[in-house]
């Protein structure tokens, strides 16, 4: 195993550990909505502020990446995410304290994803970059899903406070793992904002890729945030006792999310062969179709629902590494960190509003209306990627 591959797997393991704090809150929503008398809209606001913290942090991290070793950014992010998670069961007692602490957690989580993407994009050539990005994104997916799995498995025995505490400690372990790893400072220089720089990172190709990524994130994080509570509701409708429904719903949701670990690898690899625009469009149209129908099918037999969820969970994440790979290929190497940071800001800005809108629609309408609305608004993504496909192979001017 060469140095680049070893570093890829180390970063992926660290990201897996940090991602335990991403959806640990999703797993306990049914409990907190009862205990704290939260509405679905309030739960959506807490989701939104997590992403606000993430986006604000990415803006800063993107500039630091051009001058500092990403290792230290990752360590700081892991510590912030872990400590804010540890404080949550100790200090959170209602809506506002949850908003504040989850915002801080979002600031921390942002410290690994973009620095890691920059490292991976610089360590691997274009011919294998999609596959490498797929592995890295896959660790995010599996880590997020495992958070729901361990929460669903343990919540009945250690309660929501124990679940949050345990999953947050993993982030602190990730910080230690990265601290013990030698990560080279790759060639870079401080960025000076100029008209030329802005033109370079906002070329037509970049705008189309980022438009596709933004709509992709809109659908993905609305689905990921609410699929656990949806499946808890689904099992309740099918006569499962409330406590068992929480366990079954979260564990099935975790399986569906973790399936994306394989999907992101295969999606990235497929895009190496068939092209970034074509491959992303295939997966986008499949996931949008699933979003439009799934919320209306709460009476569907469990076996058929599982089949639909497998297709949904696979297709909704399989295109995720494609956007980062494509950006790294159309951007000058010295601007890759900034371009990836801009992509994350654009993409994750939509995730501030998607879970919130989902919760609002759920409060006033139904699961079907919420999922369908999210899916239809995602149609901007295939439009952007079809347009990108037309210019994908033309020389960059």
């Amino acid at each position: 195993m060469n140095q680049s591959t070893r570093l890829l797997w180390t970063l992926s393991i660290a990201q897996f550990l940090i991602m335990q704090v991403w959806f640990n809150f999703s797993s306990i929503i049914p409990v907190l909505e009862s205990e704290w008398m939260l509405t679905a809209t309030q739960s959506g606001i807490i989701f939104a502020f997590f992403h606000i913290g993430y986006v604000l942090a990415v803006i800063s991290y993107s500039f630091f990446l051009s001058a500092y070793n990403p290792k230290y950014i990752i360590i700081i992010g892991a510590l912030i995410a872990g400590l804010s998670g540890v404080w949550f069961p100790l200090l959170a007692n209602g809506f506002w304290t949850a908003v504040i602490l989850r915002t801080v957690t979002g600031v921390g989580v942002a410290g690994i994803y973009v620095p890691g993407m920059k490292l991976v994009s610089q360590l691997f050539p274009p011919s294998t970059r999609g596959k490498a990005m797929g592995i890295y994104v896959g660790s995010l997916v599996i880590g997020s899903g495992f958070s729901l799995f361990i929460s669903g498995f343990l919540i009945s025995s250690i309660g929501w406070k124990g679940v949050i505490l345990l999953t947050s400690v993993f982030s602190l372990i990730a910080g230690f793992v990265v601290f013990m790893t030698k990560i080279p400072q790759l060639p870079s220089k401080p960025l000076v904002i100029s008209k030329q720089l802005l033109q370079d990172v906002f070329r037509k190709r970049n705008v189309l890729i980022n438009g596709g990524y933004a709509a992709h994130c809109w659908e993905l994080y609305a689905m990921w945030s609410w699929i656990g509570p949806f499946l808890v509701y689904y099992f309740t409708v099918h006569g499962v006792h409330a406590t068992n429904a929480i366990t079954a719903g979260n564990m099935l949701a975790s399986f569906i999310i973790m399936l994306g670990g394989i999907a992101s690898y295969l999606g990235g690899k497929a895009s190496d062969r068939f092209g970034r625009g074509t491959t992303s469009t295939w997966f986008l149209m499949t996931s949008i179709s699933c979003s439009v129908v799934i919320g209306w099918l709460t009476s569907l037999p469990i076996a058929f629902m599982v089949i639909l969820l497998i297709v949904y969970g696979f297709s909704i994440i399989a295109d995720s590494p494609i956007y980062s790979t494509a950006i790294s290929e159309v951007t000058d190497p010295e601007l890759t960190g900034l371009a990836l940071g801009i992509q994350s800001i654009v993409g994750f800005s939509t995730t501030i509003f998607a879970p919130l809108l989902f919760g609002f629609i759920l409060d006033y309408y139904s699961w079907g209306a919420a999922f369908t609305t999210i899916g239809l608004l995602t149609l901007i993504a295939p439009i952007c990627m079809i347009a990108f496909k037309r210019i994908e192979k033309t020389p960059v001017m």
Side-chain angles (χ1 to χ4, degrees):
M1 185 182 295
N2 60 36
Q3 183 181 8
S4 295
T5 303
R6 283 197 298 270
L7 186 54
L8 170 63
W9 283 105
T10 300
L11 290 171
S12 297
I13 291 169
Q15 181 164 240
F16 169 86
L17 294 171
I18 291 177
M19 285 303 116
Q20 301 310 303
V21 305
W22 195 302
F23 289 108
N24 56 6
F25 180 76
S26 298
S27 69
I28 63 172
I29 280 178
V31 178
L32 292 189
E33 285 185 343
S34 175
E35 186 173 322
W36 291 352
M37 303 298 291
L38 297 177
T39 64
T41 299
Q42 288 176 312
S43 296
I45 290 171
I46 297 171
F47 284 134
F49 272 86
F50 174 90
H51 293 292
I52 288 173
Y54 183 98
V55 169
L56 292 176
V58 166
I59 295 173
S60 299
Y61 293 149
S62 299
F63 285 93
F64 292 152
L65 278 173
S66 299
Y68 299 99
N69 192 324
K71 172 177 181 174
Y72 303 111
I73 297 175
I74 294 171
I75 292 171
I76 291 171
L79 290 176
I80 293 173
L83 291 174
S84 61
V86 169
W87 290 336
F88 193 94
L90 302 176
L91 302 178
N93 56 11
F95 173 71
W96 286 109
T97 49
V99 165
I100 293 169
L101 288 169
R102 288 297 289 175
T103 302
V104 176
T105 302
V107 170
V109 171
I112 185 169
Y113 188 56
V114 175
M117 283 196 301
K118 181 186 178 184
L119 285 167
V120 172
S121 69
Q122 291 182 289
L123 289 169
F124 291 86
S127 60
T128 59
R129 192 175 297 160
K131 182 171 67 174
M133 283 288 194
I135 292 172
Y136 184 67
V137 173
S139 70
L140 179 151
V141 177
I142 295 174
S144 302
F146 189 77
S147 175
L148 282 175
F149 173 80
I150 197 170
S151 300
F153 185 70
L154 295 176
I155 193 168
S156 61
S157 57
I158 63 177
W160 73 262
K161 291 185 177 181
V163 162
I164 296 292
L165 183 62
L166 176 63
T167 50
S168 299
V169 168
F170 285 121
S171 185
L172 300 177
I173 296 172
F176 178 75
V177 168
V178 175
F179 177 76
M180 298 299 293
T181 302
K182 183 178 180 180
I183 299 178
Q185 173 67 66
L186 298 174
S188 61
K189 59 183 179 179
L191 293 176
V192 178
I193 299 298
S194 65
K195 181 180 179 180
Q196 184 59 49
L197 182 147
L198 294 176
Q199 288 176 340
D200 288 342
V201 296
F202 286 103
R203 292 187 179 120
K204 183 178 180 180
R205 298 167 192 263
N206 295 60
V207 171
L208 289 173
I209 294 166
N210 288 342
Y213 183 67
H216 155 78
C217 286
W218 168 274
E219 181 186 39
L220 176 66
Y221 284 93
M223 184 272 210
W224 274 4
S225 296
W226 285 102
I227 192 65
F230 169 71
L231 290 175
V232 172
Y233 172 80
Y234 172 80
F235 281 112
T236 302
V237 168
H238 284 257
V240 179
H241 184 271
T243 301
N244 294 330
I246 291 173
T247 298
N250 280 323
M251 293 187 74
L252 179 55
S254 73
F255 169 75
I256 297 306
I257 293 175
M258 286 192 288
L259 177 67
I262 300 172
S264 62
Y265 170 77
L266 294 177
K269 189 174 181 179
S271 74
D272 287 337
R273 179 176 180 182
F274 299 109
R276 315 304 181 195
T278 298
T279 308
S280 59
T281 302
W282 291 345
F283 291 123
L284 284 165
M285 294 309 300
T286 303
S287 66
I288 290 170
S289 299
C290 293
S291 290
V292 169
V293 302
I294 192 168
W296 305 105
L297 301 177
T298 53
S299 61
L300 195 68
I302 293 176
F304 290 104
M305 176 59 76
V306 169
I307 293 171
L308 176 60
L309 285 166
I310 289 172
V311 175
Y312 195 15
F314 188 98
S315 60
I316 203 168
I317 187 61
D319 56 321
S320 198
I322 297 173
Y323 306 100
S324 301
T325 305
I327 279 290
S328 71
E329 291 171 343
V330 302
T331 305
D332 295 335
E334 63 271 17
L335 299 178
T336 300
L338 178 61
L340 288 170
I342 290 171
Q343 183 181 79
S344 287
I345 292 167
V346 171
F348 283 95
S349 292
T350 68
T351 70
I352 294 171
F353 304 102
L356 175 58
L357 177 63
F358 193 108
F360 178 80
I361 295 174
L362 181 58
D363 264 339
Y364 290 96
Y365 296 99
S366 65
W367 287 103
F371 273 110
T372 297
T373 301
I374 294 299
L376 292 177
L377 290 173
T378 306
L379 284 169
I380 188 66
I383 293 172
C384 287
M385 297 312 291
I386 289 171
F388 171 71
K389 176 186 173 183
R390 293 175 179 173
I391 60 174
E392 185 174 2
K393 298 299 182 181
T394 59
V396 179
M397 303 302 293

